[in-house]
Amino acid sequence: MSDQSPYPLLETIDTPEQLRRLPTSELPKLAAELRRYLIHSVARTGGHLSAGLGTVELTIALHYVYDTPEDRLIWDVGHQSYPHKILTGRREQMATLRQRGGLSGFPKRSESPYDSFGTGHSSTSISAALGMAIAARREGSSRRIVAIIGDGAMTGGMAFEALNHAGHLKSNLLVILNDNEMSISPNVGGMHNYLARILSSKLYTTMRDGSKNVLSIAPPVWELARKAEEHMKGMVTPGTLFEELGFNYIGPIDGHDLDTLVTTLKNLRERDEPQFLHIVTRKGKGFPPAEKNPTCYHGVTAFDPETGAIYPRSAPPSYTHLFGEWICEIAEQDERLVGITPAMCEGSGLVEFSQRFPQRYFDVGIAEQHAVTLAAGMACDGLKPVVAIYSTFLQRAYDQLIHDVALQDLPVLFAIDRAGLVGPDGPTHAGSFDLSFLRCIPNLVIMAPADGNELRRMLYTGYLLDGPAAVRYPRGSGPEVPIDPEMKELPVGKGQLCREGRRVALLAFGSMVAPALQAAEELDASVVNMRFIKPLDAPLVLDMATHHELLVTIEENVIAGGAGSAVNECLHHHGVRIPVLNLGLPDRFVEQGRHDELLAQCGLDAAGIVEAVRNHLDQ
């Protein structure tokens, strides 16, 4: 190893076992090197930065104290896990992060034995950890289970369901709350760090358990002692809720103080009951641009690691941006409009709306079920809710979508972002299934725009309906088209013939219209922008079937149950027999990569469409 290396200590650590051989005095130096390495790695590839910078010390302490991978660490969500990846044999692979064939941006069981559970969606760690703790108990194993959950993920109801169950079962489990939304205030300092060491220590535990045994013969005295302890801890810690759920609460402590972290974790590892450790960290720690603006550097493209300047990328306005403009425009006209999002203000394009209409903006946290039923309640009493949500997160509110919105035929508009493949974020965030799981729901109108101008028209059309509607659109930008400042409603259930050709008709949905038009030039095919998945334009489908030898449906959704299936059902219902080729996403999870790479891999670019059609015609 060269003496000139900027990471002399980090480069000696390829496994946590090597980390555990270091004296504790070396850990702060390792933390500094790990933080620098993380900054320079993400600067090259892009990815999630702020959260990982806040968990450097915690990651080192966990792998230092726990016997990983035999002991299980579950990161919730995976945004925090980049330091974990670096310390678990994947340092040299960080240059491939979020690229095709490279490291995933999230923990992934197939990637490393140190990734105990895949966590691309939040609020799942405590449930998974409890399941592992139950399995360990049944095996008679002494392995320890730790769930590390961010304060954002704690807004998800599933986390509290799991806490309640874990406390009831008295499971051997440690939950670490990584609280990074507040600064390290004076009450998270020397006194609290000292109390954490005392309350987690073996001496305190022995005295506590011994007193419990002695006083249990006199229940009123024991209850008095229990309440005295609870009130004493309550005066200096905010953990009453977790104590009531059956956890022994410790904290809050400084999550950047390695000495306190290591000592506290060592104490907690020796205990066999539900433990809850509250640490306070700072997002973006050690990188001033990210500390100043952690949201900007939460998920970031390539940037200058010295200055933090994000390298510019020229592109037409994204669908997300156009949605944000549209909702502000309609809010100016209609005071009934309210915007709802489950913790995706920036990602869903609602920043300007939240600033201009703060009383009509509702970020409910990572609580998708609540977001949808909240909208239903608003719609019952005359408001016009617009729910801005990613396709992959709408999956988590499926019952509410059916039972609370569609069954009651309430006028809720769903603006579904990130529909289809999402490139570097990979299968955890891909919106591959929404057309399939939405299409079977009665009362719901479903639309997919071919470009940004059509997005605006569809949102407006859905907003004017007296029942539920969904507009699904992809990540990034569509074809460059002029944006009509005048809002025009679309006729519901009507498609558009874009090109007349021979033999073959390409029935394209949403983002697939552009590659279909390119393919049609080579095939001399007709192209239909179907616009509506439900209700389907049956007369147009039947007309295409009458005048062509082959119908080809193209969608950026799984083939099973998707838009192509709607066309198949339409033809069958009308007794029309014609060859149909359904093109869409395959029956497997599509891994990460650039969006154009993945479309080509799935045969959904122009060349893939041409090849599939010609192969079918040649059969």
Coordinates of all heavy atoms in Angstrom, one line a residue, residues 350-419:
L350 N -43.6 19.1 -5.7 CA -44.6 19.9 -5.0 C -43.9 21.0 -4.2 O -44.6 21.6 -3.4 CB -45.4 19.0 -4.0 CG -46.4 18.1 -4.7 CD1 -47.1 17.2 -3.7 CD2 -47.5 18.9 -5.4
V351 N -42.7 21.3 -4.4 CA -42.0 22.3 -3.6 C -42.7 23.7 -3.8 O -43.0 24.4 -2.8 CB -40.5 22.4 -4.0 CG1 -39.9 23.6 -3.3 CG2 -39.8 21.1 -3.6
E352 N -42.9 24.1 -5.0 CA -43.5 25.4 -5.2 C -44.9 25.5 -4.7 O -45.3 26.4 -4.1 CB -43.5 25.8 -6.7 CG -44.1 27.1 -7.0 CD -44.1 27.5 -8.5 OE1 -43.5 26.7 -9.3 OE2 -44.7 28.5 -8.9
F353 N -45.7 24.4 -4.9 CA -47.0 24.3 -4.4 C -47.0 24.4 -2.9 O -47.8 25.2 -2.3 CB -47.7 23.0 -4.8 CG -49.1 22.8 -4.3 CD1 -50.2 23.4 -4.9 CD2 -49.3 22.1 -3.1 CE1 -51.4 23.2 -4.4 CE2 -50.6 21.9 -2.6 CZ -51.7 22.5 -3.3
S354 N -46.1 23.8 -2.2 CA -46.0 23.8 -0.7 C -45.7 25.2 -0.2 O -46.2 25.6 0.9 CB -45.0 22.8 -0.2 OG -43.7 23.2 -0.6
Q355 N -44.9 26.0 -1.0 CA -44.6 27.3 -0.6 C -45.7 28.3 -0.9 O -45.9 29.2 -0.1 CB -43.3 27.7 -1.3 CG -42.1 26.9 -0.9 CD -40.9 27.1 -1.8 OE1 -41.0 27.6 -2.9 NE2 -39.7 26.6 -1.4
R356 N -46.3 28.1 -2.0 CA -47.4 29.1 -2.4 C -48.7 28.8 -1.7 O -49.5 29.8 -1.5 CB -47.6 29.1 -3.9 CG -46.4 29.7 -4.7 CD -46.6 29.5 -6.2 NE -47.8 30.1 -6.7 CZ -48.2 30.1 -7.9 NH1 -47.5 29.4 -8.9 NH2 -49.4 30.6 -8.3
F357 N -49.0 27.6 -1.4 CA -50.3 27.2 -0.8 C -50.1 26.3 0.4 O -50.5 25.2 0.4 CB -51.1 26.4 -1.9 CG -51.3 27.2 -3.2 CD1 -50.5 26.9 -4.3 CD2 -52.2 28.2 -3.3 CE1 -50.6 27.5 -5.5 CE2 -52.4 28.8 -4.5 CZ -51.6 28.5 -5.6
P358 N -49.4 26.8 1.4 CA -49.0 26.0 2.5 C -50.2 25.4 3.3 O -50.1 24.3 3.9 CB -48.2 26.9 3.4 CG -48.6 28.3 3.0 CD -48.9 28.2 1.5
Q359 N -51.3 26.1 3.3 CA -52.5 25.6 4.0 C -53.3 24.6 3.2 O -54.2 23.9 3.8 CB -53.5 26.8 4.3 CG -52.9 27.9 5.1 CD -52.3 27.4 6.4 OE1 -52.9 26.7 7.2 NE2 -51.1 27.8 6.8
R360 N -52.9 24.4 2.0 CA -53.5 23.3 1.2 C -52.6 22.2 0.8 O -52.9 21.4 -0.1 CB -54.1 24.0 -0.1 CG -55.2 25.0 0.3 CD -55.4 26.1 -0.8 NE -55.8 25.6 -2.1 CZ -56.0 26.3 -3.2 NH1 -55.7 27.6 -3.1 NH2 -56.4 25.8 -4.3
Y361 N -51.4 22.2 1.5 CA -50.4 21.2 1.2 C -50.3 20.3 2.4 O -50.1 20.7 3.5 CB -49.1 21.9 0.9 CG -47.9 20.9 0.9 CD1 -47.7 20.0 -0.1 CD2 -47.0 21.0 1.9 CE1 -46.6 19.1 -0.1 CE2 -45.9 20.1 2.0 CZ -45.7 19.2 0.9 OH -44.6 18.3 1.0
F362 N -50.3 19.0 2.2 CA -50.2 18.0 3.3 C -49.2 16.9 2.9 O -49.4 16.1 2.1 CB -51.6 17.4 3.5 CG -52.7 18.4 3.8 CD1 -53.4 19.0 2.8 CD2 -52.9 18.7 5.2 CE1 -54.4 19.9 3.2 CE2 -53.9 19.7 5.5 CZ -54.6 20.3 4.5
D363 N -48.1 17.0 3.6 CA -47.1 15.9 3.6 C -47.3 15.1 4.8 O -47.1 15.5 6.0 CB -45.7 16.5 3.6 CG -44.6 15.4 3.5 OD1 -44.9 14.3 3.7 OD2 -43.4 15.8 3.2
V364 N -47.8 13.8 4.6 CA -48.2 13.0 5.7 C -47.1 12.1 6.2 O -47.3 11.3 7.1 CB -49.4 12.1 5.3 CG1 -50.5 12.9 4.8 CG2 -49.0 11.1 4.2
G365 N -45.9 12.3 5.7 CA -44.8 11.4 6.1 C -44.9 10.1 5.3 O -45.7 10.0 4.4
I366 N -44.1 9.1 5.7 CA -44.0 7.9 4.9 C -45.2 7.0 5.4 O -45.1 6.0 6.1 CB -42.7 7.1 5.1 CG1 -41.5 8.1 4.7 CG2 -42.6 5.9 4.3 CD1 -40.2 7.5 4.9
A367 N -46.4 7.4 4.9 CA -47.6 6.8 5.4 C -48.6 6.8 4.2 O -49.6 7.5 4.2 CB -48.2 7.6 6.6
E368 N -48.3 5.9 3.2 CA -49.1 5.9 2.0 C -50.5 5.6 2.2 O -51.4 6.1 1.6 CB -48.4 4.9 1.0 CG -47.0 5.3 0.5 CD -45.9 4.8 1.4 OE1 -46.2 4.2 2.5 OE2 -44.8 5.1 1.1
Q369 N -50.8 4.6 3.1 CA -52.2 4.3 3.4 C -53.0 5.5 3.9 O -54.1 5.7 3.5 CB -52.2 3.1 4.4 CG -51.6 1.8 3.9 CD -51.5 0.8 5.0 OE1 -50.9 1.0 6.0 NE2 -52.2 -0.4 4.8
H370 N -52.4 6.1 4.8 CA -53.0 7.3 5.4 C -53.2 8.4 4.3 O -54.3 9.0 4.3 CB -52.2 7.9 6.6 CG -52.6 9.2 7.0 ND1 -53.9 9.5 7.5 CD2 -51.9 10.4 7.1 CE1 -54.0 10.8 7.8 NE2 -52.8 11.3 7.6
A371 N -52.3 8.6 3.5 CA -52.4 9.6 2.4 C -53.6 9.4 1.6 O -54.4 10.3 1.3 CB -51.1 9.6 1.5
V372 N -53.9 8.1 1.2 CA -55.0 7.8 0.3 C -56.3 8.0 1.0 O -57.3 8.6 0.5 CB -54.8 6.4 -0.3 CG1 -56.1 6.0 -1.1 CG2 -53.6 6.4 -1.2
T373 N -56.4 7.5 2.3 CA -57.7 7.6 3.0 C -57.9 9.0 3.4 O -59.1 9.5 3.5 CB -57.7 6.6 4.2 OG1 -57.4 5.3 3.7 CG2 -59.0 6.7 4.9
L374 N -56.9 9.8 3.7 CA -57.0 11.2 4.0 C -57.6 11.9 2.8 O -58.6 12.7 3.0 CB -55.6 11.8 4.3 CG -55.6 13.3 4.5 CD1 -56.2 13.7 5.8 CD2 -54.1 13.8 4.5
A375 N -57.2 11.6 1.6 CA -57.7 12.2 0.4 C -59.2 11.8 0.3 O -60.1 12.6 -0.1 CB -57.0 11.7 -0.8
A376 N -59.5 10.5 0.6 CA -60.9 10.1 0.5 C -61.8 10.9 1.4 O -62.9 11.3 1.1 CB -61.0 8.6 0.8
G377 N -61.3 11.1 2.7 CA -62.1 11.9 3.6 C -62.3 13.3 3.1 O -63.4 13.9 3.3
M378 N -61.3 13.9 2.6 CA -61.4 15.3 2.0 C -62.4 15.3 0.9 O -63.2 16.3 0.8 CB -60.0 15.8 1.6 CG -59.0 16.0 2.6 SD -57.4 16.4 1.9 CE -56.5 17.0 3.3
A379 N -62.3 14.3 0.0 CA -63.2 14.3 -1.1 C -64.7 14.2 -0.7 O -65.6 14.7 -1.4 CB -62.8 13.2 -2.1
C380 N -64.9 13.4 0.4 CA -66.3 13.3 0.9 C -67.0 14.6 1.2 O -68.2 14.8 1.1 CB -66.3 12.4 2.2 SG -66.1 10.6 1.9
D381 N -66.2 15.6 1.6 CA -66.7 16.8 2.1 C -66.3 18.0 1.2 O -66.1 19.1 1.7 CB -66.3 17.1 3.5 CG -67.2 16.4 4.5 OD1 -68.1 15.7 4.1 OD2 -66.9 16.4 5.7
G382 N -66.2 17.7 -0.1 CA -66.2 18.8 -1.1 C -64.8 19.3 -1.5 O -64.7 20.2 -2.4
L383 N -63.7 18.8 -0.9 CA -62.4 19.2 -1.4 C -62.0 18.4 -2.7 O -62.6 17.4 -3.0 CB -61.4 19.0 -0.3 CG -61.5 19.9 0.9 CD1 -60.4 19.6 1.9 CD2 -61.6 21.4 0.5
K384 N -61.0 18.9 -3.4 CA -60.6 18.2 -4.6 C -59.1 17.7 -4.4 O -58.2 18.5 -4.8 CB -60.7 19.1 -5.8 CG -62.1 19.4 -6.2 CD -62.8 18.2 -6.9 CE -62.3 18.1 -8.3 NZ -63.0 17.0 -9.1
P385 N -58.9 16.6 -3.8 CA -57.5 16.2 -3.5 C -56.8 15.6 -4.7 O -57.3 14.9 -5.5 CB -57.7 15.1 -2.4 CG -59.1 14.6 -2.6 CD -59.9 15.7 -3.2
V386 N -55.5 16.0 -4.8 CA -54.6 15.4 -5.7 C -53.5 14.7 -4.9 O -52.8 15.4 -4.2 CB -54.0 16.5 -6.6 CG1 -52.9 15.9 -7.6 CG2 -55.0 17.3 -7.4
V387 N -53.3 13.4 -5.1 CA -52.3 12.7 -4.4 C -51.1 12.4 -5.3 O -51.3 11.8 -6.4 CB -52.9 11.3 -4.0 CG1 -51.8 10.5 -3.2 CG2 -54.1 11.5 -3.1
A388 N -50.0 13.1 -5.0 CA -48.8 12.9 -5.8 C -48.0 11.8 -5.1 O -47.5 11.9 -4.0 CB -48.0 14.2 -5.8
I389 N -47.8 10.7 -5.9 CA -47.2 9.5 -5.3 C -46.4 8.8 -6.4 O -46.8 8.8 -7.5 CB -48.3 8.6 -4.7 CG1 -47.7 7.5 -3.8 CG2 -49.2 8.1 -5.7 CD1 -48.7 6.8 -3.0
Y390 N -45.3 8.1 -6.0 CA -44.6 7.3 -6.9 C -45.4 6.0 -7.1 O -46.0 5.5 -6.2 CB -43.2 6.9 -6.4 CG -42.2 8.0 -6.4 CD1 -42.5 9.3 -6.6 CD2 -40.9 7.7 -6.1 CE1 -41.5 10.3 -6.6 CE2 -39.9 8.6 -6.0 CZ -40.2 9.9 -6.3 OH -39.2 10.9 -6.3
S391 N -45.3 5.4 -8.3 CA -45.9 4.2 -8.6 C -45.6 3.1 -7.6 O -46.4 2.4 -7.1 CB -45.6 3.7 -10.1 OG -46.0 2.4 -10.3
T392 N -44.3 3.0 -7.3 CA -43.8 1.9 -6.4 C -44.4 2.1 -5.0 O -44.5 1.1 -4.3 CB -42.3 1.8 -6.4 OG1 -41.9 0.7 -5.7 CG2 -41.7 3.1 -5.8
F393 N -44.7 3.3 -4.6 CA -45.2 3.5 -3.3 C -46.7 3.4 -3.2 O -47.3 3.1 -2.2 CB -44.8 4.9 -2.7 CG -43.3 5.0 -2.6 CD1 -42.6 6.2 -2.9 CD2 -42.5 3.9 -2.2 CE1 -41.2 6.3 -2.8 CE2 -41.1 4.0 -2.1 CZ -40.5 5.2 -2.4
L394 N -47.4 3.6 -4.4 CA -48.8 3.4 -4.4 C -49.2 1.9 -4.1 O -50.3 1.6 -3.6 CB -49.4 3.8 -5.8 CG -50.9 3.8 -5.9 CD1 -51.6 4.6 -4.9 CD2 -51.3 4.2 -7.3
Q395 N -48.3 1.0 -4.4 CA -48.5 -0.4 -4.1 C -48.8 -0.6 -2.6 O -49.5 -1.5 -2.3 CB -47.2 -1.2 -4.4 CG -46.9 -1.2 -5.9 CD -45.4 -1.6 -6.2 OE1 -45.0 -1.6 -7.4 NE2 -44.7 -2.0 -5.2
R396 N -48.3 0.3 -1.8 CA -48.4 0.1 -0.3 C -49.8 0.6 0.2 O -50.1 0.5 1.4 CB -47.3 0.9 0.4 CG -45.9 0.6 -0.2 CD -44.8 1.3 0.6 NE -44.5 0.6 1.8 CZ -43.6 1.0 2.7 NH1 -42.9 2.1 2.5 NH2 -43.3 0.3 3.8
A397 N -50.6 1.2 -0.7 CA -51.9 1.7 -0.3 C -53.0 1.1 -1.1 O -54.0 1.8 -1.4 CB -51.9 3.2 -0.4
Y398 N -52.8 -0.1 -1.5 CA -53.7 -0.7 -2.5 C -55.1 -0.9 -1.9 O -56.1 -0.6 -2.5 CB -53.2 -2.1 -3.0 CG -53.9 -2.6 -4.2 CD1 -54.1 -1.8 -5.3 CD2 -54.3 -3.9 -4.2 CE1 -54.7 -2.3 -6.4 CE2 -54.9 -4.4 -5.3 CZ -55.1 -3.6 -6.4 OH -55.8 -4.1 -7.5
D399 N -55.2 -1.4 -0.6 CA -56.5 -1.6 0.0 C -57.2 -0.3 0.1 O -58.5 -0.2 -0.2 CB -56.3 -2.2 1.3 CG -57.7 -2.4 2.0 OD1 -58.5 -3.1 1.5 OD2 -57.9 -1.8 3.1
Q400 N -56.5 0.8 0.5 CA -57.2 2.1 0.6 C -57.7 2.6 -0.7 O -58.7 3.3 -0.8 CB -56.2 3.1 1.3 CG -55.9 2.8 2.7 CD -55.1 1.6 3.0 OE1 -54.3 1.1 2.1 NE2 -55.4 0.9 4.1
L401 N -56.9 2.4 -1.7 CA -57.3 2.8 -3.1 C -58.6 2.1 -3.5 O -59.5 2.8 -4.0 CB -56.2 2.4 -4.1 CG -56.4 2.7 -5.6 CD1 -56.6 4.2 -5.8 CD2 -55.2 2.2 -6.4
I402 N -58.7 0.8 -3.2 CA -59.9 0.1 -3.6 C -61.1 0.4 -2.6 O -62.2 0.9 -3.1 CB -59.7 -1.4 -3.5 CG1 -58.7 -1.8 -4.6 CG2 -61.0 -2.2 -3.7 CD1 -58.2 -3.3 -4.5
H403 N -60.9 0.2 -1.3 CA -61.9 0.3 -0.3 C -62.4 1.7 0.0 O -63.6 2.0 0.1 CB -61.5 -0.4 0.9 CG -62.5 -0.5 2.0 ND1 -62.7 0.6 2.9 CD2 -63.5 -1.4 2.3 CE1 -63.7 0.2 3.8 NE2 -64.2 -0.9 3.4
D404 N -61.4 2.6 0.1 CA -61.8 4.0 0.6 C -62.0 5.0 -0.5 O -62.8 6.0 -0.3 CB -60.6 4.5 1.5 CG -60.4 3.6 2.7 OD1 -61.4 2.9 3.1 OD2 -59.3 3.6 3.3
V405 N -61.4 4.8 -1.7 CA -61.6 5.7 -2.8 C -62.5 5.2 -3.9 O -63.6 5.7 -4.2 CB -60.3 6.1 -3.4 CG1 -60.5 7.0 -4.6 CG2 -59.4 6.9 -2.4
A406 N -62.1 4.1 -4.5 CA -62.9 3.6 -5.7 C -64.2 3.0 -5.3 O -65.2 3.3 -6.0 CB -62.0 2.5 -6.4
L407 N -64.3 2.3 -4.3 CA -65.6 1.7 -3.9 C -66.7 2.8 -3.6 O -67.9 2.7 -3.9 CB -65.5 0.8 -2.6 CG -66.7 0.2 -2.1 CD1 -67.3 -0.8 -3.1 CD2 -66.4 -0.6 -0.8
Q408 N -66.2 3.9 -3.1 CA -67.1 5.1 -2.8 C -67.2 6.1 -4.0 O -67.8 7.1 -3.9 CB -66.7 5.8 -1.5 CG -66.6 4.8 -0.3 CD -66.3 5.5 1.0 OE1 -67.2 6.0 1.7 NE2 -65.0 5.6 1.3
D409 N -66.4 5.7 -5.1 CA -66.5 6.6 -6.3 C -66.2 8.0 -6.0 O -66.8 8.9 -6.5 CB -67.8 6.4 -7.0 CG -67.7 6.8 -8.5 OD1 -66.6 6.8 -9.0 OD2 -68.8 7.1 -9.1
L410 N -65.1 8.2 -5.2 CA -64.8 9.6 -4.8 C -63.8 10.3 -5.8 O -62.9 9.6 -6.3 CB -64.1 9.6 -3.4 CG -65.0 9.1 -2.3 CD1 -64.2 8.9 -1.0 CD2 -66.1 10.1 -2.0
P411 N -64.0 11.6 -6.0 CA -63.2 12.3 -6.9 C -61.8 12.6 -6.4 O -61.4 13.8 -6.0 CB -64.0 13.6 -7.2 CG -64.7 13.8 -5.9 CD -65.0 12.5 -5.4
V412 N -60.9 11.6 -6.4 CA -59.5 11.8 -6.0 C -58.6 11.6 -7.3 O -58.8 10.6 -8.0 CB -59.1 10.8 -4.9 CG1 -57.6 10.9 -4.6 CG2 -60.0 11.0 -3.7
L413 N -57.7 12.5 -7.5 CA -56.8 12.4 -8.7 C -55.5 11.9 -8.2 O -54.9 12.5 -7.3 CB -56.7 13.7 -9.4 CG -55.6 13.8 -10.5 CD1 -56.0 12.8 -11.6 CD2 -55.5 15.2 -11.0
F414 N -55.0 10.8 -8.8 CA -53.7 10.3 -8.4 C -52.7 10.6 -9.5 O -52.9 10.2 -10.7 CB -53.8 8.7 -8.3 CG -54.6 8.3 -7.1 CD1 -55.9 8.1 -7.2 CD2 -54.0 8.1 -5.9 CE1 -56.7 7.7 -6.2 CE2 -54.7 7.7 -4.8 CZ -56.1 7.5 -4.9
A415 N -51.7 11.4 -9.2 CA -50.6 11.8 -10.1 C -49.5 10.8 -9.8 O -48.7 10.9 -8.8 CB -50.2 13.2 -9.9
I416 N -49.3 9.8 -10.6 CA -48.4 8.7 -10.4 C -47.1 8.8 -11.1 O -47.0 8.6 -12.3 CB -49.1 7.3 -10.7 CG1 -50.5 7.2 -10.0 CG2 -48.2 6.2 -10.4 CD1 -51.3 6.0 -10.5
D417 N -46.1 9.3 -10.4 CA -44.8 9.5 -10.9 C -44.0 8.2 -10.9 O -44.3 7.3 -10.3 CB -44.1 10.6 -10.1 CG -43.0 11.4 -10.8 OD1 -42.4 10.8 -11.7 OD2 -42.8 12.5 -10.4
R418 N -42.8 8.2 -11.7 CA -41.9 7.1 -11.7 C -42.6 5.8 -12.2 O -42.3 4.7 -11.8 CB -41.3 6.9 -10.4 CG -40.0 7.6 -10.1 CD -40.1 9.1 -10.2 NE -38.9 9.7 -9.6 CZ -38.7 11.0 -9.4 NH1 -39.7 11.8 -9.8 NH2 -37.6 11.5 -8.9
A419 N -43.5 6.0 -13.1 CA -44.2 4.8 -13.7 C -43.2 4.2 -14.7 O -42.6 4.9 -15.5 CB -45.5 5.2 -14.4

